[in-house]
Amino acid sequence: PVVKLFFLSPPPSEIYNVVRGLFLRQIIGSPQSGFGLGDYLIWTGSQISPHESMLYEYEVNFPDMHEYPNHAFLDEENLELLTSDQIRARHDLSLLMLRRQWNMPWTPQSHTSFQKPFRQAVKNLLCCAHRYGMPFDIAIYMNTFLSRDWWPDERAECWLYECQLDKLQEVLYEEESKSSGKPLILCKGCKIACACSKKHMKNIHHEGHRRMCHTPPMRVPTKEDLDFCSQYLGEHGESAHEPEVEEDDTEQVVEVEEDIEEEADGDWESVGSDEEQQEEQETKTALALKYFESKAYKMLRREEHAFANYYADD
């Protein structure tokens, strides 16, 4: 326990602020360091919040394979080299899983991922329950009805780049915060992006957030997103966070028609089985790329500025 406490515990917030500042000021990047900000958070066991704007910056989390061909990333399933699009899809899948888990009810295992006021409320409820002789299991069950949205999250900050630089200077040099006490404005679309003023929120949207706000993994996870996560993880049955879906009578009609067609022609069964085998042969990376290509990447390319490629060549 002592070794785990001193050597395996997450680094103090001061170290994280320095590492984040190096990525934020573009002093180092994933090609130079060999890892991204998300990798650092996972390796050190630090808290990961979807409010961290830099997790959605691709160049901060993994290198571009076209610009850095010496960096090789292999697919664990077939040991083939991953392309830039596949790495991007896997990173977005991690963010989608984070959003999915973030909306899960409270559990003792996920207690440290919640904001300080939330954890204090849980502690107070448990103390009151113990004082009045309430069974511990019931007290634990009561805390699952608490919501993250009831208390502000101290980890949320303005996503505007200039504002983040000012915040970094305040933290590193222990200066008095200029925006202390001001409530943050939450994006109505994704419920993740924050701004300290309406002007800053408008600038954040103009910098590109408007295009990504309604696509995964940035958007609020839909039932389709949650179903894909369950499929990817091999989960069976309805999850606790997924809403119940009413049965549709048209499905029964389709099943009857399929039974009639199978009796008339036995070849339909072989065709269906071949398609299922083809889907089973696809790697999880290919499934992730196919999903994000249809739900996000294709739409983002369509909405790209008409002169984006022209300026990129310059």
Side-chain angles (χ1 to χ4, degrees):
V2 176
V3 175
K4 183 177 181 181
L5 177 63
F6 287 98
F7 296 98
L8 300 181
S9 59
S13 58
E14 291 80 4
I15 297 180
Y16 168 70
N17 292 330
V18 172
V19 175
R20 185 181 186 276
L22 293 175
F23 282 100
L24 181 64
R25 297 293 301 270
Q26 302 177 3
I27 299 176
I28 63 171
S30 55
Q32 294 80 17
S33 61
F35 64 91
L37 181 63
D39 297 325
Y40 171 82
L41 293 174
I42 294 176
W43 294 342
T44 57
S46 303
Q47 294 184 5
I48 304 178
S49 169
H51 291 291
E52 174 56 73
S53 60
M54 296 185 67
L55 290 177
Y56 302 90
E57 300 290 340
Y58 295 134
E59 63 274 7
V60 176
N61 292 278
F62 57 86
D64 189 348
M65 300 300 295
H66 299 291
E67 299 179 2
Y68 304 94
N70 295 330
H71 289 74
F73 296 89
L74 297 178
D75 192 338
E76 306 86 9
E77 297 185 58
N78 54 17
L79 299 181
E80 294 182 358
L81 291 176
L82 295 174
T83 63
S84 297
D85 292 337
Q86 291 175 332
I87 297 176
R88 177 186 180 187
R90 291 174 62 139
H91 179 75
D92 286 339
L93 177 64
S94 302
L95 295 177
L96 182 59
M97 293 290 184
L98 175 62
R99 294 294 306 272
R100 173 182 184 257
Q101 194 65 29
W102 195 257
N103 296 330
M104 290 286 193
W106 174 91
T107 62
Q109 293 74 19
S110 63
H111 178 73
T112 57
S113 68
F114 287 80
Q115 58 267 45
K116 291 181 180 178
F118 188 105
R119 299 199 301 268
Q120 186 62 41
V122 170
K123 180 180 178 181
N124 294 339
L125 288 175
L126 292 177
C127 290
C128 293
H130 176 73
R131 180 176 182 179
Y132 290 98
M134 180 181 295
F136 185 72
D137 294 340
I138 297 179
I140 291 294
Y141 181 70
M142 288 174 53
N143 290 325
T144 61
F145 292 94
L146 303 179
S147 175
R148 290 183 185 267
D149 301 333
W150 293 355
W151 293 275
D153 197 325
E154 68 279 358
R155 294 162 294 188
E157 61 181 14
C158 182
W159 279 30
L160 191 67
Y161 181 71
E162 292 78 7
C163 201
Q164 292 191 44
L165 292 178
D166 294 339
K167 181 67 175 181
L168 176 64
Q169 182 175 353
E170 295 171 359
V171 171
L172 296 181
Y173 295 97
E174 298 181 353
E175 298 178 356
E176 184 178 354
S177 177
K178 300 177 182 179
S179 59
S180 59
K182 295 182 181 180
L184 292 174
I185 301 175
L186 199 63
C187 177
K188 297 180 180 179
C190 63
K191 308 295 184 182
I192 287 295
C194 300
C196 55
S197 64
K198 293 183 178 179
K199 180 181 179 180
H200 283 193
M201 179 61 72
K202 185 177 180 180
N203 293 337
I204 293 171
H205 279 281
H206 287 171
E207 289 179 355
H209 178 72
R210 187 187 303 275
R211 296 172 54 242
M212 302 176 60
C213 185
H214 300 287
T215 59
M218 184 72 71
R219 70 183 180 188
V220 177
T222 62
K223 186 179 184 304
E224 187 177 18
D225 296 335
L226 300 178
D227 290 341
F228 173 73
C229 292
S230 299
Q231 177 188 359
Y232 185 90
L233 296 174
E235 298 176 348
H236 301 285
E238 291 189 356
S239 303
H241 63 278
E242 295 182 359
E244 297 182 358
V245 181
E246 298 181 359
E247 296 183 357
D248 194 351
D249 296 336
T250 56
E251 295 182 357
Q252 300 178 359
V253 176
V254 172
E255 292 178 357
V256 174
E257 292 178 353
E258 290 180 351
D259 294 338
I260 296 175
E261 292 178 355
E262 288 178 358
E263 294 178 358
D265 190 354
D267 294 338
W268 288 101
E269 183 178 357
S270 61
V271 173
S273 59
D274 293 339
E275 293 178 354
E276 293 177 356
Q277 292 178 359
Q278 184 178 359
E279 292 180 357
E280 292 177 356
Q281 293 176 357
E282 288 184 330
T283 63
K284 289 188 174 181
T285 300
L287 292 176
L289 179 58
K290 181 186 295 185
Y291 184 79
F292 285 103
E293 177 66 28
S294 61
K295 304 301 178 183
Y297 302 160
K298 186 182 298 183
M299 184 181 303
L300 293 177
R301 286 195 300 267
R302 190 183 305 119
E303 295 178 356
E304 190 176 4
H305 194 276
F307 297 97
N309 295 331
Y310 176 79
Y311 291 121
D313 296 336
D314 294 341

